[in-house]
Amino acid sequence: MNRDQIEGGLRNLRGRGRTALGAVTGRPRQQIDGAVDQVAGALQHGYGRARETADGLHRDGTQFIDEARTRGRAIAGDVQDRAEDLHRRGLDYRDEAVRRGRDVVARADDNRGTTLLMVAAAAFATGWLMRRTR
């Protein structure tokens, strides 16, 4: 509860009292002044409630933003960790492919006759499969 709500409530009560006193004593001016105080008090109280609601929304919005920022940073960290892991794995696969390729080349170099025979057989088979009539 804020100051405007308290003051508005008190002004409203004071206006009710003046209106009632004016009715009992037969003074219309006092009744009118009391009614004005009642309306002004109710408006001030309503303003106080609206201000309190706005403060609450502002506070909730700030918490929401902070939570979203924290979650976003956590997600970004997870994504960065995953990207680093994938990069490392890619380098490992590349190194393995280079090693195996070098092994194949070394084996082919050691067995030149067998390699030449296999290449010729593969070329013959490819040519035979690609011709129109078999």
Side-chain angles (χ1 to χ4, degrees), residues 23-101:
V24 170
T25 58
R27 296 184 183 158
R29 177 75 178 157
Q30 193 174 16
Q31 280 182 299
I32 291 171
D33 289 343
V36 168
D37 277 346
Q38 273 183 281
V39 171
L43 290 174
Q44 188 175 5
H45 185 268
Y47 169 76
R49 286 181 57 195
R51 199 175 92 196
E52 187 174 294
T53 301
D55 288 343
L57 290 173
H58 177 263
R59 191 173 34 258
D60 292 346
T62 303
Q63 289 174 349
F64 178 74
I65 289 169
D66 289 344
E67 184 178 336
R69 184 179 295 128
T70 301
R71 286 184 181 185
R73 286 182 180 152
I75 290 170
D78 291 346
V79 167
Q80 185 174 2
D81 291 345
R82 180 72 174 146
E84 289 171 359
D85 182 52
L86 290 173
H87 179 71
R88 182 189 48 76
R89 288 173 59 191
L91 293 176
D92 291 346
Y93 288 138
R94 182 203 61 192
D95 293 344
E96 180 68 16
V98 167
R99 186 186 60 77
R100 287 185 182 192

Side-chain angles (χ1 to χ4, degrees), residues 1-11 41 44-53:
M1 198 171 234
N2 60 37
R3 182 178 151 188
D4 285 315
Q5 286 177 300
I6 294 169
E7 287 178 4
L10 291 174
R11 190 170 183 183
Q44 188 175 5
H45 185 268
Y47 169 76
R49 286 181 57 195
R51 199 175 92 196
E52 187 174 294
T53 301

